[in-house]
Amino acid sequence: MAKSGKRKVRKNVVRAIIHIKATFNNTLITVTDMDGDTICTGSAGCVGFKGSRKSTPFAAQQAAQRCASTAMRNGVREVEIKVKGPGSGRESAISALQGAGLRIASIEDVTPLPHNGCR
């Protein structure tokens, strides 16, 4: 029997949103189009880092470079960046995206802050 799986469709998107979630243990990077449909994802764990090395800025930089290359293969040239979380990989991931050749339109911090949280 032949495989009847779905073939991965390459999207041709010029503008995208990059969501960076920097926690104390890992850095997650998701590239979406302007509607919110995911183009590619990556993390420090996907690049090959384990344990406490996942939380380093270098691991975030490597993950961002891999996501940027995948996004550029899908036609992405200009990005908006939304950063969430208190982790150490925030700045290094942004600089890696800029170094990969993506044009950064805006950087926004979307870390949730309580307006007088739970009791």
Side-chain angles (χ1 to χ4, degrees), residues 8-72:
K8 204 169 209 180
V9 178
R10 181 173 285 180
K11 299 177 181 178
N12 196 11
V13 181
V14 179
R15 282 181 57 93
I17 302 172
I18 298 183
H19 302 271
I20 301 172
K21 182 178 179 188
T23 65
F24 288 121
N25 295 320
N26 204 350
T27 302
L28 306 169
I29 299 167
T30 306
V31 182
T32 65
D33 59 9
M34 298 310 278
D35 298 327
D37 299 326
T38 302
I39 296 171
C40 65
T41 61
S43 69
C46 289
V47 181
F49 293 93
K50 289 183 180 177
S52 61
R53 293 183 50 194
K54 283 195 302 187
S55 60
T56 61
F58 180 69
Q61 179 182 356
Q62 296 295 316
Q65 283 176 349
R66 182 177 284 189
C67 268
S69 65
T70 308
M72 288 174 78

